Amino acid sequence: AWYQRRVRGLLCIKSMSKHLYGLTEELKKIRGFMAETLAKYRLDETSDKKEEIKMSLEEAIKIIQVHERARQGCLRAKFMREIRAQEEREKMLSLQGASTMDPDVASTIIQKVWKGYSQRNKTLKLREEELIFIGMQPNSDTPTHHKDSPVSKVSKREEERVLIQAQHEREYQDALVN
């Protein structure tokens, strides 16, 4: 009895096939398989006999699989109808010019952006303080050019070198002329 109800339920799936994408061929195969099974075991609507049906384990597994796939197909069709209805609602709202974003969601997004921005600034300040502390970056509060700092010593030595090179170049040019 339950088997017959299940088979009739499976056979009505074809009426829902217009809602499913590309499943009509599979539905035809299922319907053919179920018709063969009904004919094989003589389980049409007119038979009310309660006789024991003998089938192999493989046949029973096939029947159960077909039923499960049909059940999943029905659920998938229902889910797709719900998705389409939701899309239509959103489309109608957007055509009416209504806001599609929930105020709670919008405020959450704004909070995320602000917290990210402020944390990046804090991290940058902490990184600069750490570099100053370990001596890899000069402190912004103190003047950068002390007369005893290595940077000023190097720039002073470079200026001296340029002057000496210029003096040697003049001496060389004078020696060539004389």
Side-chain angles (χ1 to χ4, degrees):
W2 69 269
Y3 181 76
Q4 290 176 346
R5 284 192 304 266
R6 186 72 169 161
V7 169
R8 276 187 241 127
L10 290 174
L11 294 177
C12 79
I13 289 178
K14 186 172 183 181
S15 66
M16 295 189 321
S17 66
K18 62 182 175 182
H19 299 294
L20 300 174
Y21 297 99
L23 292 178
T24 55
E25 292 299 319
E26 188 167 334
L27 289 173
K28 288 178 184 176
K29 290 179 188 176
I30 292 171
R31 196 167 189 207
F33 174 75
M34 295 307 298
E36 288 175 16
T37 306
L38 285 172
K40 184 176 181 180
Y41 296 106
R42 288 180 243 116
L43 291 174
D44 49 1
E45 286 88 21
T46 59
S47 69
D48 290 332
K49 300 175 188 175
K50 293 194 175 194
E51 59 186 56
E52 188 174 314
I53 300 171
K54 296 190 179 192
M55 64 176 77
S56 68
L57 181 63
E58 291 82 20
E59 290 174 334
I61 290 173
K62 277 185 179 180
I63 290 172
I64 291 171
Q65 284 177 341
V66 167
H67 288 221
E68 181 61 20
R69 287 182 185 141
R71 185 188 69 80
Q72 289 177 1
C74 289
L75 289 175
R76 190 178 316 120
K78 181 180 176 185
F79 181 66
M80 293 304 292
R81 278 193 299 268
E82 289 173 2
I83 289 175
R84 263 189 245 104
Q86 178 67 26
E87 288 174 353
E88 288 176 12
R89 281 192 295 267
E90 289 175 1
K91 193 175 190 180
M92 293 300 287
L93 285 175
S94 67
L95 290 176
Q96 293 174 356
S99 173
T100 58
M101 188 174 288
D102 185 32
D104 292 334
V105 174
S107 65
T108 304
I109 291 172
I110 292 170
Q111 287 174 359
K112 282 184 194 177
V113 171
W114 173 251
K115 286 179 181 178
Y117 171 76
S118 63
Q119 187 60 44
R120 282 190 296 276
N121 285 343
K122 287 177 186 176
T123 304
L124 184 61
K125 287 179 184 178
L126 287 173
R127 185 177 298 141
E128 288 175 0
E129 289 175 5
E130 183 179 0
L131 289 175
I132 290 170
F133 178 72
I134 61 175
M136 292 182 68
Q137 184 175 346
N139 192 350
S140 60
D141 296 339
T142 60
T144 56
H145 295 292
H146 293 297
K147 68 178 186 176
D148 294 333
S149 73
V151 174
S152 63
K153 287 180 181 178
V154 168
S155 62
K156 185 177 178 182
R157 183 68 182 138
E158 191 174 334
E159 289 171 7
E160 290 173 2
R161 191 179 311 122
V162 169
L163 290 174
I164 291 171
Q165 286 176 349
Q167 181 184 356
H168 288 202
E169 182 67 28
R170 276 193 307 272
E171 290 174 5
Y172 175 73
Q173 293 297 331
D174 288 342
L176 285 179
V177 174
N178 291 339

